[in-house]
Amino acid sequence: MRRMVSIAAMLVVLGVVGVAAWMWFSLQSPYKGFAAQSVFVDLPHGASSRTVARLLKQNGVIRSATAFEVYARRHPRRRLQAGEYFFDHPISGHDVFWQIADGHVYEQPFTVREGETIFDIAHDLEAEQLMTSDEFLAVVQNPELIRDIAPRAKSLEGFLFPATYFLPRHPSPTEVAAEMVRKFREEWQRIAPPEAQHDAAGLEHGRPVISVVTLASLVERETPKPEERPLVAGAFENRLRHNIALQCDPTVIYALQDAGQYRGKLTGADLHFPSPYNTYAHPGLPPGPIGNPGEASLRAALDPAKTDYLYFVANTQGGHFFAATLVEHNRNVTKYRRLLAGLPAESPDPAPDPAPALAPAPVKHTAKVTGKRASAAKQSQGKHKASAKQKRVSVQ
């Protein structure tokens, strides 16, 4: 009888050891039970550890649902996080648990570049198959998310901060827009003056926040060089102060985009396009931002360079020539055109006319020119000097 009891006890011990070994093996040994190259597992909110274990087992991610559930129960302070998880290689049950407990849900990077418009962002989201362009535009054309800081805003344009965002596989347009606006608020708090950060009326030094962001969006689209942005902002500020039309080409492009009529190239006729965004046709700033500016452009709009510049033109090197007068600006335009033609920016001075050749001097005697011949020689020299002066021309 004792022998039977001992054998039974031994079998129980062996069974327990075997189960423990199996559970240890299930948790520690990498496993891949799905046939495809990868698998997504969506864990709903409020799911129990048993439900999570069952879903993981059904999708071939773990070897044993029981072992996973027991392990989860041994860590009651670590809750399994809801979300979509991605698996593409053999992984142990132990690592699966901690991946879910730490909330390492599947995310894919999506970058909003400086100066991009809501139309650009919508196009990129659709190209990445994250959502349709129309779905995103329907959300961002509602300015409710920024009503407290920009009560006159017509959309979220300008307030979708350029950055890299990490999005789930099926993001909500509302959540994506809200995250971009949240990032703008975070950056604005960091770079704006203290009086602008807590101004419920949305004013900074007496200017609405949307005016600052609008100016920054023009600066962003005009130059890719961070060091030039305060100069461009200063030139625009000077033109506004003198009631000179900004004549900013990107505002016309945006007007055409807004109307769905931009074809990728700006023409002379487009400069007359009827739109309040057209700064050739309407003085002052456009009614809202024409893109989403980054930090450097926002800083430039908050603190423009103090100069006399009113004009600038491209220098073919990614930067610009700046000028305070129209005459100087016209010279810069000439430089730009010469550079485009492959010539030096500065035109060389006209070469002087060659001096008249002198007759060889006689060897043994000299001849003195007198009378009419001397008078004719002087007149010839005078005409030559006048001709040289007349060859000087101005370039505008």
Side-chain angles (χ1 to χ4, degrees):
M1 187 66 178
R2 289 181 178 179
R3 186 176 181 183
M4 293 294 293
V5 172
S6 298
I7 292 173
M10 186 177 297
L11 289 174
V12 170
V13 171
L14 289 174
V16 171
V17 171
V19 170
W22 167 251
M23 293 183 67
W24 181 90
F25 176 75
S26 297
L27 288 170
Q28 300 299 327
S29 176
Y31 175 75
K32 177 179 179 289
F34 46 89
Q37 290 186 347
S38 61
V39 65
F40 288 94
V41 180
D42 192 5
L43 304 180
H45 288 277
S48 65
S49 57
R50 177 169 295 180
T51 300
V52 171
R54 178 176 54 80
L55 290 172
L56 292 170
K57 175 62 177 174
Q58 286 177 353
N59 286 276
V61 176
I62 57 176
R63 181 177 277 108
S64 170
T66 302
F68 186 90
E69 183 182 353
V70 170
Y71 188 81
R73 290 182 183 277
R74 288 183 57 195
H75 298 82
R77 295 185 178 181
R78 297 307 303 267
R79 298 184 60 183
L80 298 175
Q81 306 295 317
E84 189 173 45
Y85 294 85
F86 178 71
F87 303 95
D88 64 350
H89 62 276
I91 184 172
S92 69
H94 169 275
D95 290 344
V96 171
F97 173 83
W98 288 107
Q99 180 177 336
I100 298 173
D102 291 338
H104 293 161
V105 297
Y106 174 78
E107 294 177 325
Q108 51 189 324
F110 177 79
T111 301
V112 177
R113 291 173 286 276
E114 294 179 342
E116 284 194 320
T117 68
I118 56 175
F119 308 106
D120 298 326
I121 299 172
H123 174 272
D124 292 344
L125 285 167
E126 184 167 281
E128 294 288 336
Q129 299 182 342
L130 293 168
M131 64 189 69
T132 69
S133 175
D134 290 341
E135 286 173 339
F136 183 74
L137 289 174
V139 170
V140 299
Q141 286 172 342
N142 180 353
E144 196 59 38
L145 286 173
I146 56 172
R147 192 68 71 191
D148 58 324
I149 59 173
R152 294 190 292 109
K154 300 180 183 301
S155 73
L156 298 183
E157 188 76 273
F159 297 86
L160 306 176
F161 197 79
T164 296
Y165 298 89
F166 294 90
L167 308 179
R169 192 160 56 116
H170 303 294
S172 158
T174 301
E175 292 175 354
V176 171
E179 176 63 17
M180 293 177 180
V181 170
R182 186 201 63 76
K183 181 65 173 173
F184 172 86
R185 290 177 180 274
E186 177 184 303
E187 295 300 318
W188 181 258
Q189 289 287 322
R190 187 172 63 83
I191 68 177
E195 60 269 28
Q197 297 177 8
H198 307 290
D199 189 350
L203 299 178
E204 187 280 318
H205 297 307
R207 292 187 299 167
V209 171
I210 193 170
S211 295
V212 177
V213 177
T214 299
L215 176 59
S217 72
L218 269 63
V219 171
E220 188 73 67
R221 296 290 294 274
E222 283 287 5
T223 178
K225 291 183 173 290
E227 66 273 16
E228 273 196 359
R229 288 171 187 168
L231 295 175
V232 172
F236 279 145
E237 284 279 287
N238 291 339
R239 292 178 76 90
L240 291 170
R241 191 177 303 113
H242 290 86
N243 199 31
I244 302 173
L246 296 182
Q247 297 184 335
C248 174
D249 288 358
T251 64
V252 183
I253 294 174
Y254 187 82
L256 293 167
Q257 283 184 316
D258 191 41
Q261 298 185 33
Y262 185 56
R263 300 293 178 262
K265 185 178 180 180
L266 198 64
T267 67
D270 291 332
L271 302 183
H272 304 285
F273 183 73
S275 168
Y277 283 93
N278 185 345
T279 54
Y280 281 84
H282 300 278
L285 288 169
I290 62 167
N292 294 280
E295 178 182 342
S297 293
L298 285 169
R299 289 187 181 276
L302 284 165
D303 187 22
K306 304 300 187 291
T307 70
D308 294 328
Y309 295 146
L310 290 170
Y311 310 92
F312 53 91
V313 65
N315 63 8
T316 73
Q317 302 297 316
H320 294 81
F321 297 120
F322 291 85
T325 67
L326 184 58
V327 171
E328 186 182 359
H329 175 62
N330 286 339
R331 292 196 191 103
N332 289 340
V333 172
T334 299
K335 291 180 184 178
Y336 167 70
R337 290 173 178 165
R338 288 181 59 83
L339 289 170
L340 282 183
L343 300 172
E346 300 288 349
S347 59
D349 293 333
D353 289 344
L358 298 177
V363 177
K364 292 185 178 180
H365 65 276
T366 60
K368 187 175 182 181
V369 180
T370 59
K372 292 182 180 180
R373 289 177 62 191
S375 175
K378 289 180 181 180
Q379 288 178 4
S380 175
Q381 291 176 357
K383 288 181 180 178
H384 175 70
K385 291 179 181 178
S387 175
K389 290 180 180 179
Q390 289 168 359
K391 287 186 180 180
R392 295 178 59 194
V393 296
S394 61
V395 178
Q396 293 190 353

